[in-house]
Amino acid sequence: MKTLTVFLGLCLVFVFVWERVDVVRIGYQIERLKRDKTVLERQRDELRVKFSTLSASDRIAKLATEKLGMSLPQQGQIIVVQSRPRPSGVHPSGIALVELKVARNDLPSGRF
Amino acid sequence: MAGSLSRGRRYVLLLLLLCGFGVVLFRLVTLQVLQAAVLSAQADRQHQKTVSLEGARGTIVDRHGKILAMNVEVPSVFGVPNTVDSPLKTARQLSPILHVRTDELERKLRQDRRFVWLARKLDPEQGRRLDRLSLDGIGVVMEGRRFYPKGPLLAHVLGFSGMDGEGLEGVEHRYEPYLHGEKRMMVLQRDALGHTVFPKGMMERSPTPGHSLTLTIDEVIQYIVERELEDAVGRARAKSGTMIVLDPKTGAVLAMAVSPRFDPNAVSALSRDRWRNRALTDTYEPGSTMKAMMAAAAIEERVVRPNTMVFGENGHMMVANTVIHDHERLGWVSFAQVIQKSSNIGAVKTGMALGEQRLYRYLQAFGFGQRTEIDLPGEGAGLVSNPRDWGRRSIASISIGQEIGVTPLQMVSAVAALANGGVLMKPYVVSEIRDAEGQILKQIPPQTRRRIVSPETARSVTKILEGVVTDGTGGKAAIPGFRVAGKTGTAQQIDGDTKTYSTSRFVASFAGYVPSDIPRLAMIVIIDEPQDKKASGGSVAAPVFSRVGEQVLSYLGVPSDAPITLAMASRR
């Protein structure tokens, strides 16, 4: 009986010590993860700024015109038309029917 | 006897002990209770050093969430001079990394101070190199640095912030209470010898970031506006240029540009003149663009109708001992033609028929002479004097946009009111405020100021202004496939020396809206002092309106509302 009591007492001490050690270990782990999180957040912010800088409209336009040989459309070359499907729905071909508000005779031949 | 002596000695001893304990107790109470606060603070001062650091400043994004300004945590380096063994050696090691001269660093490290900044807001790579050095008495702390990733884009609206993170101009200044993060006091512990013990977690992020702002500005529209405006100012060799694009239904500012531009990432060397937002601080005499508002007032008050015939006096008319000229000799013309041909004489006659009080009342109703209350700092109120202070010629002058000072923002707001069926909206640039987690704290809805004219009057004026573009002075503002309404303006500036109107310095402008039946954009273009003496609002500003309008309508996917003709398509 006495031996059992001592054994149980030792077990309790062992569990207590184990628990304390584990708490300390997890504490260190949390601290390390917090530091990692901070570093990653900082990297994320740096990347966001970099992405925003690289995706600036003037930079893209410059690359498009100077490196890729593109050019801005001239006046009159862009025509936005309103897509308005007929009441019966979409054309059997699957192409939405559109109503052109452009006087067709006025369109330059061979350009559209 | 001996026992009584012994007892007496015991009493004396007890008394002495009690006195001793009493003194100790008294001192204890004095130190721990009565002087506790003072002594505690004194102790803190001796073994602690507090440094103030700002929290991360909130991000500013455009209406589609594109980042226009944001903070990135970058390293700042400080020294604790009394813990640096060899200031010269340390300075030599730091100099190539910090790009600061060795003698300057050494001087700082020899100062009799407990804390000194060596370099602030460095690049992240510089911080990593410093970490690898691990020098005694040198510490690195993270601070927020403001980045404007789009460079000069929208700089006059965004403004900029100072070294300590406080907003100094533009949106940065106006929304400072929302944008700034919480201040963090960093405590450095010192030991008994005064050596600084760097606390744990010094490289941790600043606490509680500021709120983020969503602007009404569209980055793509802003880019188109700035590119076209810079191009026009350059071609006209003008002093400066201003352009504003509003959504006439809401008053939301879609773009606001001033030329020449500046880069808010490197603002320290620039003068205030360079970063002032002229679109809302500067006043100018609007000239003929004012005729659009005068026409609205006259039609609303039934003084004229679009088809009322007005005699153009063959180009000359005397008013208060001054000759009013027209650039074209006109006879009998309709009131619509008066506006389309930009006849000064017709406008003066109409203004005089309207009368001083009614004209003044409408000027006020359109918002001239008072701030629009846009959410940007430094807005000017313009100059509209009371009729009791007007001279004999004033009504004639004001009818053609002279003797009156307006800001570009006031003028575009007034034009937007005509586009909006006669209802004046309050212009604004911030639509949402969000916290650091992205939750909306505040939404700023469009605000109606007042109805100025009836929808019928607004429609009549729109028809007249369409004629300005199809048959009048604003032909170059035409956009293929769209009906455009607008008015040109070419206003002479006052010569500072002669106090008379200069014959060489003038402001060319065009203000209008498109598509005119269901307007999506209200825009004003102002080119200040073009070098070409023959330049006018119709020749310099109207083409900018056209180019910007076409690209922005295409970007927004607005379908054409008018036939495209070959002549228009090949206009350029």
Side-chain angles (χ1 to χ4, degrees):
Chain A
M1 187 65 189
K2 193 176 174 183
T3 310
L4 186 64
T5 309
V6 171
F7 178 74
L8 284 174
L10 282 173
C11 280
L12 278 173
V13 169
F14 181 75
V15 166
F16 179 76
V17 170
W18 178 270
E19 190 191 53
R20 297 311 304 167
V21 168
D22 216 33
V23 165
V24 171
R25 190 180 57 79
I26 290 170
Y28 280 124
Q29 207 173 351
I30 289 169
E31 282 301 311
R32 197 172 60 247
L33 289 171
K34 271 186 182 174
R35 277 199 299 275
D36 290 350
K37 179 172 172 271
T38 304
V39 170
L40 288 171
E41 281 176 344
R42 205 169 290 143
Q43 283 178 357
R44 178 203 62 192
D45 289 349
E46 284 173 23
L47 288 171
R48 283 178 75 193
V49 168
K50 201 170 179 181
F51 172 79
S52 191
T53 307
L54 294 175
S55 62
S57 294
D58 56 349
R59 181 181 169 274
I60 291 171
K62 200 173 175 184
L63 285 175
T65 52
E66 291 179 4
K67 284 199 170 179
L68 304 176
M70 294 180 174
S71 61
L72 287 170
Q74 293 299 301
Q75 201 157 33
Q77 286 185 324
I78 303 171
I79 300 170
V80 178
V81 291
Q82 193 167 20
S83 175
R84 194 181 296 167
R86 288 180 177 173
S88 55
V90 180
H91 191 271
S93 65
I95 301 166
L97 298 170
V98 297
E99 180 183 311
L100 284 176
K101 286 192 172 182
V102 178
R104 289 181 178 277
N105 294 339
D106 289 337
L107 291 173
S109 59
R111 292 180 65 187
F112 292 93
Chain B
M1 185 69 186
S4 67
L5 273 175
S6 177
R7 190 178 298 119
R9 283 178 180 169
R10 279 204 299 274
Y11 281 135
V12 169
L13 194 61
L14 186 64
L15 192 64
L16 285 172
L17 280 172
L18 280 174
C19 284
F21 275 117
V23 168
V24 170
L25 190 67
F26 174 74
R27 189 65 183 150
L28 198 65
V29 170
T30 307
L31 293 175
Q32 293 292 329
V33 180
L34 299 177
Q35 295 181 342
V38 178
L39 292 173
S40 175
Q42 196 177 340
D44 283 349
R45 277 200 300 276
Q46 284 177 359
H47 62 76
Q48 285 184 358
K49 169 75 181 172
T50 306
V51 180
S52 170
L53 295 172
E54 81 276 8
R57 197 169 172 78
T59 303
I60 303 175
V61 299
D62 84 337
R63 65 176 184 160
H64 297 303
K66 292 181 184 171
I67 295 169
L68 300 170
M70 78 172 286
N71 264 38
V72 174
E73 298 231 316
V74 292
S76 287
V77 186
F78 65 91
V80 185
N82 56 4
T83 63
V84 177
D85 292 333
S86 171
L88 179 60
K89 188 182 167 192
T90 305
R92 278 181 182 153
Q93 287 176 288
L94 289 174
S95 178
I97 300 171
L98 303 183
H99 307 305
V100 181
R101 280 174 31 211
T102 306
D103 57 339
E104 192 179 331
L105 288 171
E106 187 191 359
R107 185 182 55 75
K108 284 183 177 176
L109 290 173
R110 286 192 188 283
Q111 285 178 355
D112 185 22
R113 291 170 65 182
R114 296 192 179 103
F115 180 94
V116 60
W117 285 117
L118 298 178
R120 294 182 72 182
K121 306 195 175 181
L122 304 166
D123 286 337
E125 181 52 33
Q126 288 174 290
R128 285 189 272 275
R129 288 174 67 189
L130 279 167
D131 273 348
R132 286 197 288 273
L133 277 182
S134 186
L135 296 168
D136 285 340
I138 304 298
V140 177
V141 67
M142 303 308 285
E143 285 192 287
R145 177 171 154 189
R146 202 65 165 160
F147 277 99
Y148 300 92
K150 310 291 183 193
L153 193 92
L154 196 67
H156 287 91
V157 174
L158 290 174
F160 49 87
S161 62
M163 179 58 86
D164 289 320
E166 75 285 11
L168 297 178
E169 262 298 314
V171 170
E172 294 273 24
H173 177 65
R174 173 66 177 75
Y175 284 90
E176 173 66 18
Y178 294 99
L179 283 168
H180 79 76
E182 191 184 52
K183 286 268 183 187
R184 184 180 69 162
M185 305 305 284
M186 185 180 72
V187 180
L188 303 177
Q189 300 286 345
R190 287 206 300 262
D191 63 15
L193 296 173
H195 295 152
T196 300
V197 181
F198 297 128
K200 274 181 69 181
M202 273 188 59
M203 296 289 281
E204 284 182 4
R205 285 175 69 85
S206 304
T208 322
H211 302 318
S212 295
L213 304 179
T214 304
L215 303 189
T216 57
I217 301 286
D218 189 305
E219 190 249 354
V220 173
I221 299 176
Q222 181 71 25
Y223 163 69
I224 293 168
V225 166
E226 289 193 16
R227 188 189 63 209
E228 295 297 343
L229 186 65
E230 286 272 301
D231 187 41
V233 168
R235 271 189 285 111
R237 288 179 289 129
K239 186 177 157 190
S240 65
T242 305
M243 185 164 184
I244 305 170
V245 182
L246 291 186
D247 178 344
K249 290 280 171 211
T250 62
V253 179
L254 300 176
M256 182 182 278
V258 174
S259 175
R261 308 189 297 169
F262 73 93
D263 188 346
N265 293 302
V267 80
S268 55
L270 299 174
S271 67
R272 185 180 186 279
D273 195 49
R274 192 66 187 276
W275 40 259
R276 190 178 74 241
N277 187 354
R278 296 163 193 264
L280 46 97
T281 58
D282 288 15
T283 56
Y284 71 106
E285 286 195 353
S288 296
T289 46
M290 183 56 76
K291 290 171 188 166
M293 274 51 83
M294 200 274 303
I299 292 171
E300 179 76 2
E301 292 294 316
R302 300 178 194 280
V303 171
V304 289
R305 285 184 298 185
N307 57 0
T308 301
M309 297 306 286
V310 181
F311 184 55
E313 307 285 348
N314 295 314
H316 295 82
M317 187 175 82
M318 192 75 119
V319 176
N321 298 326
T322 311
V323 180
I324 306 279
H325 294 280
D326 269 344
H327 60 274
E328 196 176 339
R329 287 167 176 264
L330 296 175
W332 283 99
V333 290
S334 69
F335 177 67
Q337 286 175 306
V338 164
I339 303 300
Q340 287 156 12
K341 305 282 182 191
S342 201
S343 162
N344 289 334
I345 292 166
V348 167
K349 283 185 169 181
T350 311
M352 292 171 95
L354 192 61
E356 291 183 349
Q357 289 302 330
R358 282 193 293 190
L359 181 58
Y360 178 65
R361 203 175 74 225
Y362 275 95
L363 290 175
Q364 285 191 308
F366 273 107
F368 299 119
Q370 57 205 276
R371 292 181 178 85
T372 65
E373 295 177 9
I374 190 172
D375 46 347
L376 286 172
E379 187 188 9
L383 277 168
V384 180
S385 54
N386 195 289
R388 63 172 174 267
D389 300 321
W390 291 7
R392 286 170 58 213
R393 213 201 131 177
S394 293
I395 190 165
S397 299
I398 291 170
S399 299
I400 56 175
Q402 295 180 341
E403 273 191 47
I404 180 173
V406 306
T407 65
L409 183 65
Q410 284 175 337
M411 182 52 79
V412 75
S413 296
V415 169
L418 294 175
N420 192 32
V423 176
L424 184 71
M425 303 299 291
K426 179 182 166 183
Y428 64 107
V429 294
V430 172
S431 60
E432 279 177 2
I433 300 171
R434 293 171 183 263
D435 66 15
E437 279 73 45
Q439 298 296 314
I440 295 176
L441 295 178
K442 192 175 176 183
Q443 270 186 314
I444 294 125
Q447 286 183 49
T448 303
R449 300 295 299 273
R450 66 186 82 91
R451 172 168 287 286
I452 307 167
V453 294
S454 66
E456 294 73 31
T457 299
R459 269 197 295 275
S460 295
V461 175
T462 296
K463 287 284 171 208
I464 293 172
L465 297 182
E466 282 178 3
V468 172
V469 178
T470 54
D471 304 311
T473 54
K476 289 185 176 175
I479 301 173
F482 292 95
R483 284 203 292 271
V484 176
K487 184 72 193 79
T488 54
T490 310
Q492 293 167 293
Q493 292 187 321
I494 298 284
D495 189 313
D497 299 327
T498 62
K499 305 293 178 197
T500 56
Y501 283 106
S502 167
T503 52
S504 58
R505 295 170 54 223
F506 56 94
V507 176
S509 63
F510 185 89
Y513 43 96
V514 61
S516 56
D517 54 346
I518 309 169
R520 295 286 301 273
L521 308 169
M523 304 193 281
I524 186 166
V525 184
I526 295 171
I527 307 293
D528 189 16
E529 293 190 29
Q531 289 300 301
D532 183 0
K533 303 293 173 285
K534 289 180 181 171
S536 65
S539 68
V540 177
V544 183
F545 184 99
S546 171
R547 284 194 291 272
V548 169
E550 185 184 31
Q551 292 170 64
V552 173
L553 290 170
S554 165
Y555 164 69
L556 295 175
V558 180
S560 304
D561 72 339
I564 295 176
T565 63
L566 263 178
M568 291 177 81
S570 59
R571 188 182 290 276
R572 289 199 309 158

PDB file of all heavy atoms in Angstrom, chain B residues 410-433:
ATOM      1  N   GLN B 410     -15.689  73.871 -58.792  1.00  0.00           N
ATOM      2  CA  GLN B 410     -17.004  74.508 -58.780  1.00  0.00           C
ATOM      3  C   GLN B 410     -17.625  74.458 -60.170  1.00  0.00           C
ATOM      4  O   GLN B 410     -18.816  74.167 -60.324  1.00  0.00           O
ATOM      5  CB  GLN B 410     -16.872  75.970 -58.341  1.00  0.00           C
ATOM      6  CG  GLN B 410     -16.659  76.161 -56.846  1.00  0.00           C
ATOM      7  CD  GLN B 410     -16.415  77.619 -56.487  1.00  0.00           C
ATOM      8  OE1 GLN B 410     -15.999  78.414 -57.323  1.00  0.00           O
ATOM      9  NE2 GLN B 410     -16.643  77.966 -55.234  1.00  0.00           N
ATOM     10  N   MET B 411     -16.804  74.737 -61.189  1.00  0.00           N
ATOM     11  CA  MET B 411     -17.338  74.792 -62.546  1.00  0.00           C
ATOM     12  C   MET B 411     -17.806  73.410 -63.012  1.00  0.00           C
ATOM     13  O   MET B 411     -18.893  73.270 -63.576  1.00  0.00           O
ATOM     14  CB  MET B 411     -16.270  75.359 -63.496  1.00  0.00           C
ATOM     15  CG  MET B 411     -16.719  75.507 -64.936  1.00  0.00           C
ATOM     16  SD  MET B 411     -18.271  76.407 -65.159  1.00  0.00           S
ATOM     17  CE  MET B 411     -17.729  78.103 -64.988  1.00  0.00           C
ATOM     18  N   VAL B 412     -17.018  72.372 -62.744  1.00  0.00           N
ATOM     19  CA  VAL B 412     -17.433  71.044 -63.200  1.00  0.00           C
ATOM     20  C   VAL B 412     -18.645  70.558 -62.401  1.00  0.00           C
ATOM     21  O   VAL B 412     -19.510  69.849 -62.933  1.00  0.00           O
ATOM     22  CB  VAL B 412     -16.262  70.028 -63.150  1.00  0.00           C
ATOM     23  CG1 VAL B 412     -15.932  69.584 -61.756  1.00  0.00           C
ATOM     24  CG2 VAL B 412     -16.568  68.813 -64.025  1.00  0.00           C
ATOM     25  N   SER B 413     -18.755  70.964 -61.139  1.00  0.00           N
ATOM     26  CA  SER B 413     -19.936  70.592 -60.342  1.00  0.00           C
ATOM     27  C   SER B 413     -21.187  71.239 -60.918  1.00  0.00           C
ATOM     28  O   SER B 413     -22.256  70.614 -60.984  1.00  0.00           O
ATOM     29  CB  SER B 413     -19.767  71.033 -58.882  1.00  0.00           C
ATOM     30  OG  SER B 413     -18.707  70.360 -58.289  1.00  0.00           O
ATOM     31  N   ALA B 414     -21.052  72.520 -61.335  1.00  0.00           N
ATOM     32  CA  ALA B 414     -22.191  73.237 -61.911  1.00  0.00           C
ATOM     33  C   ALA B 414     -22.621  72.589 -63.229  1.00  0.00           C
ATOM     34  O   ALA B 414     -23.821  72.396 -63.482  1.00  0.00           O
ATOM     35  CB  ALA B 414     -21.815  74.697 -62.129  1.00  0.00           C
ATOM     36  N   VAL B 415     -21.638  72.227 -64.056  1.00  0.00           N
ATOM     37  CA  VAL B 415     -21.947  71.574 -65.331  1.00  0.00           C
ATOM     38  C   VAL B 415     -22.571  70.194 -65.070  1.00  0.00           C
ATOM     39  O   VAL B 415     -23.527  69.782 -65.748  1.00  0.00           O
ATOM     40  CB  VAL B 415     -20.658  71.453 -66.188  1.00  0.00           C
ATOM     41  CG1 VAL B 415     -20.887  70.547 -67.386  1.00  0.00           C
ATOM     42  CG2 VAL B 415     -20.223  72.829 -66.660  1.00  0.00           C
ATOM     43  N   ALA B 416     -22.057  69.501 -64.058  1.00  0.00           N
ATOM     44  CA  ALA B 416     -22.606  68.182 -63.712  1.00  0.00           C
ATOM     45  C   ALA B 416     -24.060  68.303 -63.256  1.00  0.00           C
ATOM     46  O   ALA B 416     -24.870  67.395 -63.471  1.00  0.00           O
ATOM     47  CB  ALA B 416     -21.758  67.529 -62.625  1.00  0.00           C
ATOM     48  N   ALA B 417     -24.402  69.448 -62.625  1.00  0.00           N
ATOM     49  CA  ALA B 417     -25.786  69.661 -62.194  1.00  0.00           C
ATOM     50  C   ALA B 417     -26.716  69.735 -63.411  1.00  0.00           C
ATOM     51  O   ALA B 417     -27.838  69.201 -63.385  1.00  0.00           O
ATOM     52  CB  ALA B 417     -25.886  70.936 -61.366  1.00  0.00           C
ATOM     53  N   LEU B 418     -26.256  70.379 -64.478  1.00  0.00           N
ATOM     54  CA  LEU B 418     -27.064  70.424 -65.712  1.00  0.00           C
ATOM     55  C   LEU B 418     -27.210  69.012 -66.282  1.00  0.00           C
ATOM     56  O   LEU B 418     -28.279  68.630 -66.756  1.00  0.00           O
ATOM     57  CB  LEU B 418     -26.397  71.346 -66.745  1.00  0.00           C
ATOM     58  CG  LEU B 418     -26.339  72.832 -66.394  1.00  0.00           C
ATOM     59  CD1 LEU B 418     -25.548  73.593 -67.446  1.00  0.00           C
ATOM     60  CD2 LEU B 418     -27.755  73.405 -66.264  1.00  0.00           C
ATOM     61  N   ALA B 419     -26.114  68.234 -66.207  1.00  0.00           N
ATOM     62  CA  ALA B 419     -26.162  66.854 -66.709  1.00  0.00           C
ATOM     63  C   ALA B 419     -27.095  65.994 -65.865  1.00  0.00           C
ATOM     64  O   ALA B 419     -27.688  65.031 -66.350  1.00  0.00           O
ATOM     65  CB  ALA B 419     -24.757  66.261 -66.688  1.00  0.00           C
ATOM     66  N   ASN B 420     -27.228  66.369 -64.602  1.00  0.00           N
ATOM     67  CA  ASN B 420     -28.021  65.581 -63.655  1.00  0.00           C
ATOM     68  C   ASN B 420     -29.450  66.098 -63.560  1.00  0.00           C
ATOM     69  O   ASN B 420     -30.088  65.992 -62.515  1.00  0.00           O
ATOM     70  CB  ASN B 420     -27.329  65.611 -62.287  1.00  0.00           C
ATOM     71  CG  ASN B 420     -27.895  64.610 -61.317  1.00  0.00           C
ATOM     72  OD1 ASN B 420     -28.350  63.533 -61.718  1.00  0.00           O
ATOM     73  ND2 ASN B 420     -27.901  64.945 -60.038  1.00  0.00           N
ATOM     74  N   GLY B 421     -29.956  66.688 -64.614  1.00  0.00           N
ATOM     75  CA  GLY B 421     -31.349  67.149 -64.643  1.00  0.00           C
ATOM     76  C   GLY B 421     -31.597  68.363 -63.766  1.00  0.00           C
ATOM     77  O   GLY B 421     -32.730  68.588 -63.332  1.00  0.00           O
ATOM     78  N   GLY B 422     -30.548  69.127 -63.453  1.00  0.00           N
ATOM     79  CA  GLY B 422     -30.735  70.353 -62.678  1.00  0.00           C
ATOM     80  C   GLY B 422     -30.465  70.206 -61.189  1.00  0.00           C
ATOM     81  O   GLY B 422     -30.689  71.136 -60.424  1.00  0.00           O
ATOM     82  N   VAL B 423     -29.979  69.029 -60.780  1.00  0.00           N
ATOM     83  CA  VAL B 423     -29.736  68.788 -59.343  1.00  0.00           C
ATOM     84  C   VAL B 423     -28.233  68.818 -59.064  1.00  0.00           C
ATOM     85  O   VAL B 423     -27.463  68.081 -59.686  1.00  0.00           O
ATOM     86  CB  VAL B 423     -30.332  67.426 -58.898  1.00  0.00           C
ATOM     87  CG1 VAL B 423     -29.995  67.146 -57.433  1.00  0.00           C
ATOM     88  CG2 VAL B 423     -31.838  67.415 -59.112  1.00  0.00           C
ATOM     89  N   LEU B 424     -27.853  69.676 -58.126  1.00  0.00           N
ATOM     90  CA  LEU B 424     -26.434  69.817 -57.764  1.00  0.00           C
ATOM     91  C   LEU B 424     -26.071  68.770 -56.708  1.00  0.00           C
ATOM     92  O   LEU B 424     -26.744  68.657 -55.676  1.00  0.00           O
ATOM     93  CB  LEU B 424     -26.183  71.219 -57.206  1.00  0.00           C
ATOM     94  CG  LEU B 424     -24.731  71.574 -56.876  1.00  0.00           C
ATOM     95  CD1 LEU B 424     -23.913  71.754 -58.155  1.00  0.00           C
ATOM     96  CD2 LEU B 424     -24.662  72.853 -56.036  1.00  0.00           C
ATOM     97  N   MET B 425     -25.002  68.012 -57.000  1.00  0.00           N
ATOM     98  CA  MET B 425     -24.524  66.999 -56.046  1.00  0.00           C
ATOM     99  C   MET B 425     -23.243  67.508 -55.380  1.00  0.00           C
ATOM    100  O   MET B 425     -22.515  68.314 -55.944  1.00  0.00           O
ATOM    101  CB  MET B 425     -24.221  65.674 -56.769  1.00  0.00           C
ATOM    102  CG  MET B 425     -25.386  65.088 -57.533  1.00  0.00           C
ATOM    103  SD  MET B 425     -26.796  64.684 -56.498  1.00  0.00           S
ATOM    104  CE  MET B 425     -26.155  63.303 -55.543  1.00  0.00           C
ATOM    105  N   LYS B 426     -22.977  66.975 -54.205  1.00  0.00           N
ATOM    106  CA  LYS B 426     -21.728  67.331 -53.515  1.00  0.00           C
ATOM    107  C   LYS B 426     -20.614  66.417 -54.021  1.00  0.00           C
ATOM    108  O   LYS B 426     -20.746  65.192 -53.958  1.00  0.00           O
ATOM    109  CB  LYS B 426     -21.915  67.141 -52.005  1.00  0.00           C
ATOM    110  CG  LYS B 426     -20.677  67.452 -51.196  1.00  0.00           C
ATOM    111  CD  LYS B 426     -20.949  67.176 -49.728  1.00  0.00           C
ATOM    112  CE  LYS B 426     -19.646  67.141 -48.955  1.00  0.00           C
ATOM    113  NZ  LYS B 426     -19.848  66.800 -47.552  1.00  0.00           N
ATOM    114  N   PRO B 427     -19.519  66.994 -54.537  1.00  0.00           N
ATOM    115  CA  PRO B 427     -18.431  66.127 -55.008  1.00  0.00           C
ATOM    116  C   PRO B 427     -17.700  65.477 -53.821  1.00  0.00           C
ATOM    117  O   PRO B 427     -17.583  66.087 -52.756  1.00  0.00           O
ATOM    118  CB  PRO B 427     -17.504  67.088 -55.755  1.00  0.00           C
ATOM    119  CG  PRO B 427     -17.804  68.423 -55.198  1.00  0.00           C
ATOM    120  CD  PRO B 427     -19.223  68.414 -54.726  1.00  0.00           C
ATOM    121  N   TYR B 428     -17.232  64.244 -54.026  1.00  0.00           N
ATOM    122  CA  TYR B 428     -16.511  63.555 -52.946  1.00  0.00           C
ATOM    123  C   TYR B 428     -15.514  62.557 -53.531  1.00  0.00           C
ATOM    124  O   TYR B 428     -15.674  62.101 -54.669  1.00  0.00           O
ATOM    125  CB  TYR B 428     -17.485  62.870 -51.982  1.00  0.00           C
ATOM    126  CG  TYR B 428     -18.312  61.749 -52.568  1.00  0.00           C
ATOM    127  CD1 TYR B 428     -18.043  60.421 -52.234  1.00  0.00           C
ATOM    128  CD2 TYR B 428     -19.360  62.000 -53.441  1.00  0.00           C
ATOM    129  CE1 TYR B 428     -18.796  59.383 -52.763  1.00  0.00           C
ATOM    130  CE2 TYR B 428     -20.107  60.971 -53.979  1.00  0.00           C
ATOM    131  CZ  TYR B 428     -19.830  59.668 -53.638  1.00  0.00           C
ATOM    132  OH  TYR B 428     -20.564  58.642 -54.173  1.00  0.00           O
ATOM    133  N   VAL B 429     -14.478  62.254 -52.762  1.00  0.00           N
ATOM    134  CA  VAL B 429     -13.433  61.347 -53.262  1.00  0.00           C
ATOM    135  C   VAL B 429     -13.288  60.066 -52.434  1.00  0.00           C
ATOM    136  O   VAL B 429     -12.687  59.110 -52.902  1.00  0.00           O
ATOM    137  CB  VAL B 429     -12.039  62.024 -53.344  1.00  0.00           C
ATOM    138  CG1 VAL B 429     -12.029  63.124 -54.373  1.00  0.00           C
ATOM    139  CG2 VAL B 429     -11.588  62.542 -51.998  1.00  0.00           C
ATOM    140  N   VAL B 430     -13.830  60.040 -51.227  1.00  0.00           N
ATOM    141  CA  VAL B 430     -13.732  58.814 -50.417  1.00  0.00           C
ATOM    142  C   VAL B 430     -15.121  58.208 -50.287  1.00  0.00           C
ATOM    143  O   VAL B 430     -16.071  58.883 -49.901  1.00  0.00           O
ATOM    144  CB  VAL B 430     -13.138  59.114 -49.019  1.00  0.00           C
ATOM    145  CG1 VAL B 430     -13.218  57.880 -48.126  1.00  0.00           C
ATOM    146  CG2 VAL B 430     -11.691  59.561 -49.151  1.00  0.00           C
ATOM    147  N   SER B 431     -15.237  56.923 -50.649  1.00  0.00           N
ATOM    148  CA  SER B 431     -16.547  56.282 -50.612  1.00  0.00           C
ATOM    149  C   SER B 431     -16.707  55.329 -49.429  1.00  0.00           C
ATOM    150  O   SER B 431     -17.831  55.063 -48.999  1.00  0.00           O
ATOM    151  CB  SER B 431     -16.802  55.518 -51.920  1.00  0.00           C
ATOM    152  OG  SER B 431     -15.812  54.523 -52.095  1.00  0.00           O
ATOM    153  N   GLU B 432     -15.589  54.790 -48.939  1.00  0.00           N
ATOM    154  CA  GLU B 432     -15.682  53.819 -47.831  1.00  0.00           C
ATOM    155  C   GLU B 432     -14.485  53.940 -46.907  1.00  0.00           C
ATOM    156  O   GLU B 432     -13.372  54.239 -47.340  1.00  0.00           O
ATOM    157  CB  GLU B 432     -15.683  52.390 -48.382  1.00  0.00           C
ATOM    158  CG  GLU B 432     -17.021  51.912 -48.881  1.00  0.00           C
ATOM    159  CD  GLU B 432     -16.924  50.505 -49.469  1.00  0.00           C
ATOM    160  OE1 GLU B 432     -15.836  49.907 -49.458  1.00  0.00           O
ATOM    161  OE2 GLU B 432     -17.949  50.029 -49.944  1.00  0.00           O
ATOM    162  N   ILE B 433     -14.739  53.668 -45.643  1.00  0.00           N
ATOM    163  CA  ILE B 433     -13.644  53.561 -44.668  1.00  0.00           C
ATOM    164  C   ILE B 433     -13.747  52.167 -44.052  1.00  0.00           C
ATOM    165  O   ILE B 433     -14.817  51.765 -43.586  1.00  0.00           O
ATOM    166  CB  ILE B 433     -13.753  54.642 -43.581  1.00  0.00           C
ATOM    167  CG1 ILE B 433     -13.695  56.033 -44.218  1.00  0.00           C
ATOM    168  CG2 ILE B 433     -12.647  54.485 -42.539  1.00  0.00           C
ATOM    169  CD1 ILE B 433     -14.007  57.163 -43.271  1.00  0.00           C
TER     170      ILE B 433
END
